[in-house]
Amino acid sequence: MTGFSALLAKEILEIRRTWKARVLLAVIAFAAATGPFIARYAPQIIGSTLGAELELSLPDPTWADSYVQWVKSLTQIIVFLVIILAALSLGSELRAGTVQGLATAPVDRSAIIVAKLVADAGLVAISLGAGTLIVAAETRLLFGTAPGGELIGGTLTWLCGALFLMSATMCASALTSTGPAIATGISLYLVVSLAGMWEPARRWSPAGALGAGNGEIPAIASCLLLAATCTAGAIRALDRRDI
């Protein structure tokens, strides 16, 4: 792919200069910092709100509840920010005419798509890494233990699902524009979430990686395969687009 290195450097520089990194890191850090406290003191919070009798009937929270709270933050908050990030990554430059200028330069259009996905996925991965460290540290502080395997495995599994959604959203952005791409990404996520109610879907589709299942290998593999397919579709759409 001609021009990939230069385009990747451009994307990284743009991430450093714009709101993307600051907002994503801030939201993930906030979710990671508050999740373990919510898990630890959930019985007291519920008891003060709904009555002491209900508090007494709740089991004592464990480190697993802290990890569940982290997954909830990923699937209920962070996922929508990731979809918006992917839609804006290409859509904003198409609207501003930046991609049109790149199309006249000696670079492959495929490199434009791949560079954006690699940079955005790297940003999400680094932000998730920081969030995972925060969750681990606070869970150990509040619960006395924080098994690393479950936390890291769950986060990496969700990252695979997020990569699928990012590539699908960017494909929609190459076909349409930013607004429809965001709507497509969110709609796709909702469909996948509903499919997670069906056990075979949790095992064999991205539903198993996006919070509805245990992240089995077939579900993770489906995410990566669909991400590659959507990336190829985005490249094809941008190549056919009259810019």
Side-chain angles (χ1 to χ4, degrees):
M1 288 180 291
T2 305
F4 172 76
S5 298
L7 289 170
L8 181 60
K10 164 191 165 298
E11 294 300 325
I12 294 173
L13 182 62
E14 179 183 328
I15 286 173
R16 293 175 59 188
R17 288 181 173 179
T18 59
W19 58 269
K20 294 179 180 180
R22 292 190 293 272
V23 171
L24 187 62
L25 278 168
V27 174
I28 287 180
F30 178 79
T34 56
F37 282 99
I38 294 174
R40 174 62 181 82
Y41 297 106
Q44 291 88 333
I45 295 171
I46 294 174
S48 63
T49 305
L50 301 178
E53 296 82 3
L54 183 57
E55 176 184 349
L56 293 174
S57 67
L58 294 173
D60 291 335
T62 67
W63 59 265
D65 297 299
S66 178
Y67 292 178
V68 168
Q69 193 65 41
W70 171 237
V71 172
K72 286 182 179 179
S73 295
L74 294 177
T75 57
Q76 296 175 5
I77 301 173
I78 309 303
V79 65
F80 298 105
L81 188 56
V82 167
I83 288 171
I84 293 171
L85 173 70
L88 288 173
S89 183
L90 180 62
S92 61
E93 292 198 354
L94 283 169
R95 185 174 62 253
T98 306
V99 174
Q100 289 83 334
L102 291 173
T104 63
V107 298
D108 292 339
R109 292 193 181 187
S110 60
I112 296 174
I113 297 293
V114 176
K116 287 184 176 299
L117 277 174
V118 170
D120 290 346
L123 172 61
V124 173
I126 292 172
S127 302
L128 287 176
T132 301
L133 290 175
I134 294 172
V135 172
E138 291 196 8
T139 301
R140 181 173 294 276
L141 177 66
L142 294 170
F143 296 96
T145 184
E150 290 84 350
L151 179 60
I152 295 173
T155 303
L156 288 176
T157 297
W158 186 87
L159 178 61
C160 291
L163 183 61
F164 156 60
L165 290 176
M166 291 172 67
S167 58
T169 302
M170 192 167 291
C171 181
S173 188
L175 288 167
T176 57
S177 60
T178 303
I182 292 173
T184 299
I186 292 176
S187 298
L188 179 60
Y189 173 62
L190 295 177
V191 169
V192 170
S193 299
L194 289 174
M197 299 173 65
W198 187 38
E199 194 280 330
R202 292 196 298 271
R203 177 173 173 80
W204 296 98
S205 80
L210 286 166
N214 296 320
E216 298 185 47
I217 290 178
I220 295 172
S222 71
C223 289
L224 299 178
L225 178 61
L226 288 170
T229 303
C230 291
T231 300
I235 293 170
R236 176 80 170 167
L238 186 63
D239 198 42
R240 294 170 61 91
R241 186 163 178 156
D242 185 13
I243 55 175

